[in-house]
Amino acid sequence: MIDPRLVMVDGVAPGIGKSTLAASIAAVLKDGGAAADLFPEEDLFTRPEFAHVAQGFRDKNSPTPEVFLPAYTATIEQMRARHAWGIFDWTCVGMASDMPWAIAEPLRLHRLVRDVQKLAAEMSPVVLFLTGDVREATRRAAAERGQVWVDYWVRIAAEHGAPSGPDLERIVYYQERSQQPRQADLEILRQAGWIVLSVDAMEGRSGVLKQALTRLGLTPSP
């Protein structure tokens, strides 16, 4: 088993499979005897290290880099102390890039992303980016996650100007128009020194996992 790494997972659209991939990587690592800390997005509201960040979201105060950075510092230090892999189903840029301070002062966002990379430098931080068809990802996610998921993303799409029509079409409209900001986030990561590796999300769960493990230098099971 290679030395632990910090892995963040993102993709072209919600439903592309980033949470599934992150959980699968963590499971493979644990099955192989490695320590792995899976950090799903919802844990942001329950982890003590992120308490101030979570409170900022609850209060709609848009947590600033000065709030985010101590949380990342404490979390990464714990992973390092345990010699554990860190597997996030979100990225430090995606979590913050739409906040008012990040839009008004993009250099603050760039600095935060660079600072997190430096914190984890000895863990060879990497982002796995799931690519694929937005329409297919939306259809698959709706089938797997149900109406609650659909209602949530329809509301987001409507807030961003999606025209009236079938629910899935409204979600696809919004997601297709979100591709430029997603690519901009990837460029911020690259400029900050992150390794960004693409994974084809259309190959099915086992194929996606095999790709990801190979890109991480792990040996997939036959």
Side-chain angles (χ1 to χ4, degrees):
M1 186 68 68
I2 65 175
D3 289 338
R5 302 186 68 177
L6 179 69
V7 182
M8 291 187 167
V9 183
D10 201 355
V12 295
I16 198 69
K18 62 185 180 67
S19 297
T20 298
L21 177 58
S24 297
I25 293 171
V28 167
L29 289 164
K30 291 177 181 178
D31 288 346
D37 185 357
L38 176 63
F39 199 144
E41 190 170 326
E42 57 267 23
D43 276 16
L44 184 147
F45 290 95
T46 59
R47 296 210 180 199
E49 300 80 17
F50 273 76
H52 294 300
V53 174
Q55 193 60 50
F57 280 118
R58 292 190 185 100
D59 295 342
K60 303 187 184 304
N61 286 335
S62 299
T64 64
E66 294 75 22
V67 175
F68 270 116
L69 194 58
Y72 284 117
T73 300
T75 301
I76 292 170
E77 285 179 351
Q78 287 184 12
M79 292 171 179
R80 189 183 296 117
R82 293 177 52 226
H83 201 62
W85 287 68
I87 313 294
F88 293 67
D89 74 358
W90 46 280
T91 71
C92 54
V93 66
M95 188 60 67
S97 61
D98 62 348
M99 295 187 182
W101 59 262
I103 295 170
E105 301 178 80
L107 287 179
R108 294 180 71 194
L109 176 63
H110 285 244
R111 191 177 304 116
L112 173 64
V113 176
R114 185 175 64 250
D115 286 345
V116 176
Q117 193 278 339
K118 289 180 177 178
L119 283 171
E122 67 183 63
M123 297 177 72
S124 301
V126 60
V127 172
L128 297 177
F129 189 81
L130 288 159
T131 64
D133 182 74
V134 171
R135 183 175 297 277
E136 173 60 20
T138 302
R139 184 201 63 75
R140 187 169 60 188
E144 291 178 354
R145 304 188 187 186
Q147 195 61 41
V148 171
W149 186 90
V150 171
D151 291 345
Y152 173 81
W153 284 105
V154 166
R155 185 171 70 253
I156 299 297
E159 291 172 356
H160 287 81
S164 59
D167 286 349
L168 295 192
E169 289 301 317
R170 302 186 79 187
I171 297 172
V172 169
Y173 176 94
Y174 166 66
Q175 296 299 348
E176 287 181 341
R177 281 151 185 78
S178 299
Q179 295 311 301
Q180 186 172 349
R182 289 181 186 277
Q183 292 303 315
D185 285 354
L186 290 180
E187 186 56 30
I188 292 172
L189 286 160
R190 292 188 184 99
Q191 290 177 5
W194 288 79
I195 300 168
V196 179
L197 302 174
S198 294
V199 175
D200 182 358
M202 297 292 102
E203 289 196 8
R205 289 189 180 185
S206 61
V208 169
L209 178 59
K210 183 176 180 179
Q211 290 178 68
L213 295 176
T214 299
R215 281 158 173 71
L216 292 173
L218 299 167
T219 303
S221 299

